Amino acid sequence: MNRRTLLKGMVAGVFILSPVARAFAKELLSQNGAIKQPSNIHKVFAAGPPAAVFLYTLVPEKLLGWPSNMTAEALQFIHPRQQQLPFTGRLAGRGSTVSLETLLVMAPDIIVDVGNAGETHRSEARRVTAQTGITTLQIEGLLAATPQQFRQAGRILGVEPRAELLAKYSEKLLNRAAEFAQTQSANGKRRARIYTTRSNDGLETGLAGSIHSEVIELLGCHNVASAPGHRGVARVSLEQVLAWQPDYIITQDPEFIPWVKAASHWQSVNAVQEDRVYCASRLPFGWLDGPPGVNRLLGILWLMALLENRLEGEQLAQEVAEFFQLFYRSPVDPGVLLQ
Amino acid sequence: MTDNRRVLLLLLVFLCLVAVVASLVVGKYPMTLADVWQVLIARLSGTPQTGSIDTVVWQLRLPRIAAALLVGGSLAVAGAAYQGMFRNPLVSPDILGVSAGAGLGAITAIFLHLPIYMVQLFAFIGGLTAVGAVYALAAVVKRHDPVLVLVLAGIALSTLLGAGISLLKILADPYTQLPTITFWLLGGLNNVNLSDLAYSAPMMLLGLIPLVLLRWRMNLLSLSDDEAAALGINFTQMRILLILSATLMTASAVSFTGIIGWVGLVIPHVARLLVGPHFSRLLPVSLLLGAIFLLLTDTMARTVAGIELPLGILTALVGAPFFMYLLARGGRS
């Protein structure tokens, strides 16, 4: 070992130890157990809904089943072959609805989980591998890292061409989002202030900085619901919404719009009075959120169109159709979802 | 002694008014005391102002304050009545399964993606049905002490319904429905509006009337059934009436607030520490204490953090230490 490599090593060593570097190098993938040769991976188990969306888009033919109940409404947009997949339950520690024995009967070659996993999740995955011998793979679920997720998982699962196709598309879309975000903040324009609601009374919201708010933040918009120190889902009061006076209210529940228009106490919210309450589709998976998976790429397309005032235009219809074709291989025209 | 009690009641009424005023002027929407006053006067004099401040005061803060007072008072009174009737200090208004029934009803509605008024309706019906089932169950059993059987049947059915709730939680969509369910079970007053009050307030008051009228006879409930029979009192009728009123109050409260624990269990104890066990004195003090307590905790819930804190957490967080303090003090004197 000569002096230069030693020096490099030392610098690298210090860098690796620093918290900044650890945050940077936060591995997108973490695994337990040995991963088989790609050609030997035939059955993949999705641990939760975000993983199911991810695997359905990437390796549909290897997906063992759906971890949550798929409604008939959602299934019509799914490729006929995967429409028939059984409900397999999800694997999430105490919240699991699949037993380890059932898992052994299904005998997946690998279990894939997507999401932002904490130590609890990681240790549970280790335990599953220890008990069943099935390899578990966890993928960090940030929307911004979608291209890397596809590429790295594609390599492991032996579907590199398809992964590259999806990664390229995501990359292009994310770049568009970044450009859009720049124009949002440029030339002195005020960033769009958005409030999203998740419940039928309109008072449950995904806070800024949480996985539920990623689409909004990627597009450089301002999620009014921010509470320092809190990330995740919270309830707020209508008084708080009034104080925020968001430019747009966005929901994924179609029944919310007629309800809120009729609710007298919501009329002081400017966005309600001026008809700026919009509903994104939740089919086959939520466009903006729910589950927090690659399905949210659609939310980027939709929200950009909303902010540019072209929700009804031909461009969005085309882009959505393209997405459904490429990602969901949908047998049905998604045009209905835009009405 | 009578004078002391009168002073205490006056003091509580005064405290209640102070709490109402305080909670009317604080909140997330920025406004001054003068704004609040103007908006109040404007609407009272028949020329309502338009704008956000009017909405905040009349449609949000006032209904919410009224709801806190009503729900807190109802839960505390129902708890006091039940503790007397069941001769048990650990009994709370949901001992006969009303919360579990309401919970299962509400969560079923959330699970089925039903709109908000259906969630409330399901909760209300669920609460009544659960108590009805418990009563029917207890009526079948003849050989044991009827009060004991009621409590045991209540606990058994609550457990069963609780299992149903857990099952639905497991089956619900973890990203959209599960948070809603969790928030419902933690309780809160943040979506109260005038129409909620329009249906629940009359029912809560309706439940209160028999208790007020019967306040002198309530003490007899601490006798055993045989002793009461010797005195010529029909306990069964009185018990039915009592359960009916307490259930009506609790179910209508829970249906639009979600499950708020602790108030019905502990406020009656605090009241008892202040005025002793006689029900005619316990009732007004419990009512006022419950109302003040819930109003104060709800005001905290909507002001201390950027987001709403679930009321169920705050009532325990504030109430438990206060109660322990009272216990310790009572023990010494």
Side-chain angles (χ1 to χ4, degrees):
Chain A
M1 188 189 283
N2 63 29
R3 214 190 302 162
R4 182 171 286 178
T5 39
L6 185 69
L7 211 63
K8 265 191 196 163
M10 276 169 69
V11 170
V14 170
F15 185 68
I16 285 167
L17 288 176
S18 75
V20 181
R22 255 181 287 153
F24 253 102
K26 193 175 180 188
E27 270 296 318
L28 212 51
L29 303 187
S30 67
Q31 68 181 74
N32 304 294
I35 290 177
K36 295 181 181 175
Q37 286 297 313
S39 54
N40 288 334
I41 294 180
H42 305 293
K43 290 190 279 182
V44 184
F45 182 87
V53 183
F54 183 78
L55 293 173
Y56 169 64
T57 57
L58 182 63
V59 278
E61 65 284 355
K62 295 182 184 178
L63 184 62
L64 269 172
W66 299 105
S68 58
N69 255 319
M70 295 283 284
T71 59
E73 252 184 325
L75 276 177
Q76 58 177 322
F77 297 98
I78 299 293
H79 191 273
R81 214 172 283 157
Q82 278 78 40
Q83 278 178 9
Q84 270 120 46
L85 284 181
F87 164 67
T88 47
R90 66 175 185 270
L91 192 65
R94 290 296 292 272
S96 297
T97 45
V98 60
S99 73
L100 293 182
E101 268 182 52
T102 323
L103 206 59
L104 283 174
V105 173
M106 287 187 273
D109 298 303
I110 191 168
I111 297 168
V112 176
D113 196 3
V114 177
N116 36 12
E119 195 40 45
T120 317
H121 256 78
R122 277 196 290 273
S123 56
E124 267 157 9
R126 276 198 294 277
R127 182 176 289 200
V128 169
T129 303
Q131 276 183 294
T132 61
I134 303 169
T135 307
T136 47
L137 176 71
Q138 286 179 306
I139 305 174
E140 267 298 311
L142 281 176
L143 187 58
T146 308
Q148 295 91 303
Q149 291 161 9
F150 277 131
R151 288 199 178 102
Q152 296 190 19
R155 220 167 292 140
I156 290 174
L157 301 173
V159 282
E160 275 159 304
R162 168 109 182 127
E164 191 52 37
L165 197 67
L166 300 179
K168 278 248 169 66
Y169 179 97
S170 325
E171 225 158 32
K172 232 171 71 189
L173 184 56
L174 286 167
N175 285 339
R176 249 180 88 192
E179 272 168 38
F180 185 90
Q182 288 207 323
T183 58
Q184 274 265 307
S185 51
N187 50 43
K189 235 172 52 180
R190 198 172 64 98
R191 291 188 303 160
R193 297 161 48 78
I194 295 178
Y195 173 75
T196 59
T197 166
R198 306 162 46 90
S199 63
N200 51 12
D201 65 359
L203 295 177
E204 190 182 307
T205 186
L207 294 175
S210 70
I211 43 167
H212 312 288
S213 172
E214 264 184 278
V215 172
I216 294 171
E217 277 140 34
L218 274 177
L219 287 176
C221 302
H222 176 59
N223 182 351
V224 292
S226 67
H230 294 281
R231 278 176 182 198
V233 178
R235 282 191 74 81
V236 297
S237 59
L238 183 52
E239 191 176 333
Q240 177 74 77
V241 178
L242 267 172
W244 282 328
Q245 285 296 9
D247 301 328
Y248 300 91
I249 295 177
I250 296 177
T251 173
Q252 287 194 150
D253 178 1
E255 277 159 38
F256 176 72
I257 294 184
W259 179 84
V260 80
K261 278 185 184 160
S264 64
H265 51 303
W266 275 81
Q267 298 313 309
S268 285
V269 181
N270 293 343
V272 174
Q273 213 164 49
E274 291 158 23
D275 267 342
R276 277 182 278 105
V277 186
Y278 294 91
C279 179
S281 175
R282 56 181 173 209
L283 294 177
F285 310 103
W287 288 22
L288 287 168
D289 184 26
V294 292
N295 43 309
R296 291 172 298 168
L297 292 172
L298 263 173
I300 297 182
L301 287 174
W302 182 82
L303 192 57
M304 271 197 296
L306 167 65
L307 295 171
E308 284 176 347
N309 241 333
R310 49 174 180 80
L311 269 190
E312 257 113 73
E314 188 57 28
Q315 186 189 347
L316 180 65
Q318 247 169 35
E319 287 169 346
V320 167
E322 186 192 357
F323 185 95
F324 269 69
Q325 189 89 61
L326 179 62
F327 279 73
Y328 296 154
R329 297 165 304 119
S330 175
V332 179
D333 176 38
V336 281
L337 298 178
L338 286 170
Q339 281 152 18
Chain B
M1 201 55 204
T2 331
D3 275 349
N4 271 349
R5 274 209 312 278
R6 202 161 292 151
V7 170
L8 178 70
L9 277 183
L10 280 176
L11 187 72
L12 285 177
V13 170
F14 177 71
L15 272 179
C16 191
L17 287 175
V18 171
V20 168
V21 173
S23 121
L24 195 58
V25 295
V26 298
K28 294 288 176 199
Y29 196 88
M31 57 173 88
T32 63
L33 206 63
D35 288 338
V36 177
W37 182 247
Q38 269 175 9
V39 162
L40 278 176
I41 291 300
R43 195 167 277 263
L44 288 175
S45 61
T47 48
Q49 294 184 358
T50 51
S52 298
I53 293 184
D54 181 70
T55 309
V56 169
V57 170
W58 281 99
Q59 297 240 32
L60 302 180
R61 285 191 193 165
L62 278 174
R64 195 164 168 168
I65 289 169
L69 294 175
L70 271 169
V71 170
S74 296
L75 291 177
V77 168
Y82 268 10
Q83 287 175 4
M85 182 175 121
F86 291 111
R87 299 168 217 141
N88 185 338
L90 289 178
V91 159
S92 60
D94 53 8
I95 188 75
L96 296 186
V98 64
S99 291
L104 187 60
I107 286 161
T108 309
I110 295 172
F111 185 73
L112 297 174
H113 286 292
L114 296 179
I116 182 110
Y117 68 91
M118 289 299 273
V119 175
Q120 293 177 348
L121 187 69
F122 270 49
F124 184 64
I125 293 172
L128 294 188
T129 314
V131 176
V134 166
Y135 194 84
L137 207 70
V140 175
V141 184
K142 291 282 183 223
R143 272 177 301 166
H144 301 279
D145 175 16
V147 168
L148 182 68
V149 171
L150 265 177
V151 172
L152 291 179
I155 292 174
L157 194 78
S158 292
T159 310
L160 191 67
L161 295 170
I165 292 177
S166 303
L167 181 69
L168 284 181
K169 279 168 98 171
I170 282 286
L171 295 177
D173 182 319
Y175 295 98
T176 56
Q177 293 174 329
L178 196 55
T180 311
I181 290 176
T182 309
F183 285 124
W184 196 92
L185 288 175
L186 285 173
L189 290 168
N190 62 340
N191 62 353
V192 169
N193 63 18
L194 283 171
S195 55
D196 294 335
L197 278 178
Y199 86 85
S200 61
M203 283 196 277
M204 282 190 255
L205 294 176
L206 196 67
L208 192 61
I209 292 168
L211 294 179
V212 173
L213 294 178
L214 284 174
R215 65 188 185 282
W216 300 102
R217 298 185 102 193
M218 289 287 296
N219 297 310
L220 295 174
L221 283 172
S222 56
L223 302 174
S224 77
D225 280 33
D226 295 339
E227 288 170 312
L231 287 173
I233 298 168
N234 187 342
F235 256 19
T236 317
Q237 270 179 12
M238 195 161 152
R239 209 173 278 138
I240 293 181
L241 192 64
L242 225 155
I243 291 177
L244 216 63
S245 350
T247 303
L248 199 61
M249 287 199 290
T250 321
S252 45
V254 168
S255 70
F256 74 103
T257 63
I259 293 171
I260 296 172
W262 191 254
V263 179
L265 176 67
V266 160
I267 295 298
H269 284 288
V270 178
R272 214 169 286 127
L273 285 173
L274 289 174
V275 293
H278 201 290
F279 193 75
S280 62
R281 295 174 210 157
L282 203 55
L283 179 99
V285 175
S286 294
L287 183 81
L288 284 167
L289 274 179
I292 296 171
F293 176 70
L294 201 64
L295 179 57
L296 288 181
T297 37
D298 183 54
T299 308
M300 277 176 71
R302 64 187 172 89
T303 48
V304 291
I307 56 174
E308 286 271 330
L309 296 178
L311 204 48
I313 295 175
L314 273 185
T315 49
L317 212 61
V318 176
F322 177 65
F323 182 60
M324 281 187 248
Y325 162 74
L326 273 185
L327 266 186
R329 257 198 54 200
R332 248 187 286 129
S333 61

